[in-house]
Amino acid sequence: MDALTFLRQDHKSVLGMLEVLKDAPTGPGAQASGLSTMVTNLIIAESQHEAIEQQLFWPAVRQAVENGDTLADTAIEQEQAGKELLQRLEDGKPGEPDYQEALQQFVVEAREHIAYEQDVVWPQVEAAMSREALESLGEKLEAAKKIAPTRPHPDTPPNPAVLNTMGMATAMVDHVRDAVSGRAADNPPDPQIH
């Protein structure tokens, strides 16, 4: 599958979650609502997605697209802000004011980021990269996602070299933590929302 088709599927899944979460319950009802499970699914999906983009997609954009550095820098700045919001969700509990604020802010910013990628970046990538290059990149993204971190790690530098080394160790720790805590069983990878 080519890179843009692969990323579009991820975006579709996340947009489905954002649609549900935009009207998330607040206050005491938030804890009983199952909000925590849905947000954990979002954290996992987004953490994996952003990690593989920063590891593989944005370096490809920098190399292939004429203004690729500017496009990638803007996107990575947005992604880093998103990771900080996801970390607030990871650290908080449904119903807490900071949790609810971070969730609503993430819903808005994630939609804006997805629109930026799809409307601004992808047409330029499609014009600059061959079908073969997009297919090859798609295969790499798909393989990387299976072993990507499942938590946001906003303090990890969004540098491909760092992500290829430290990011792999971090991802292994995430997967072990998920297995031990039961998070992996409660939140299966790639939740498909249609």
Side-chain angles (χ1 to χ4, degrees), residues 98-114:
D98 186 65
Y99 183 97
Q100 300 301 136
E101 178 187 309
L103 178 57
Q104 291 314 308
Q105 191 175 348
F106 185 83
V107 168
V108 170
E109 290 183 17
R111 284 181 169 160
E112 290 171 359
H113 175 65
I114 289 171

Side-chain angles (χ1 to χ4, degrees), residues 115-132:
Y116 172 75
E117 283 188 18
Q118 293 184 176
D119 300 340
V120 177
V121 177
W122 291 3
Q124 294 181 60
V125 169
E126 209 160 26
M129 293 180 74
S130 69
R131 176 72 24 218
E132 295 79 22

Side-chain angles (χ1 to χ4, degrees), residues 4-154:
L4 300 182
T5 300
F6 177 78
L7 294 173
R8 185 173 285 109
Q9 286 181 349
D10 266 10
H11 284 181
K12 183 179 177 185
S13 176
V14 168
L15 286 168
M17 286 186 250
L18 296 176
E19 186 61 29
V20 172
L21 291 169
K22 76 177 173 56
D23 296 321
T26 59
Q31 287 192 8
S33 70
L35 179 59
S36 179
T37 299
M38 180 64 125
V39 169
T40 299
N41 284 331
L42 176 70
I43 290 169
I44 292 168
E46 275 294 287
S47 296
Q48 292 177 324
H49 179 83
E50 301 309 348
I52 65 172
E53 280 190 338
Q54 291 179 6
Q55 180 184 2
L56 298 165
F57 184 71
W58 297 121
V61 170
R62 288 182 192 283
Q63 187 174 18
V65 179
E66 187 175 320
N67 62 336
D69 285 337
T70 301
L71 294 172
D73 289 345
T74 298
I76 289 169
E77 186 177 304
Q78 293 171 346
E79 290 169 358
Q80 287 302 110
K83 285 181 181 184
E84 290 171 14
L85 292 169
L86 290 173
Q87 189 63 54
R88 285 169 57 191
L89 292 170
E90 179 86 359
D91 295 340
K93 294 201 179 341
E96 294 175 348
D98 186 65
Y99 183 97
Q100 300 301 136
E101 178 187 309
L103 178 57
Q104 291 314 308
Q105 191 175 348
F106 185 83
V107 168
V108 170
E109 290 183 17
R111 284 181 169 160
E112 290 171 359
H113 175 65
I114 289 171
Y116 172 75
E117 283 188 18
Q118 293 184 176
D119 300 340
V120 177
V121 177
W122 291 3
Q124 294 181 60
V125 169
E126 209 160 26
M129 293 180 74
S130 69
R131 176 72 24 218
E132 295 79 22
L134 286 170
E135 289 286 338
S136 175
L137 181 57
E139 290 171 15
K140 291 174 186 169
L141 289 166
E142 198 167 355
K145 186 174 178 186
K146 292 176 180 155
I147 55 170
T150 60
R151 297 168 196 267
H153 304 290

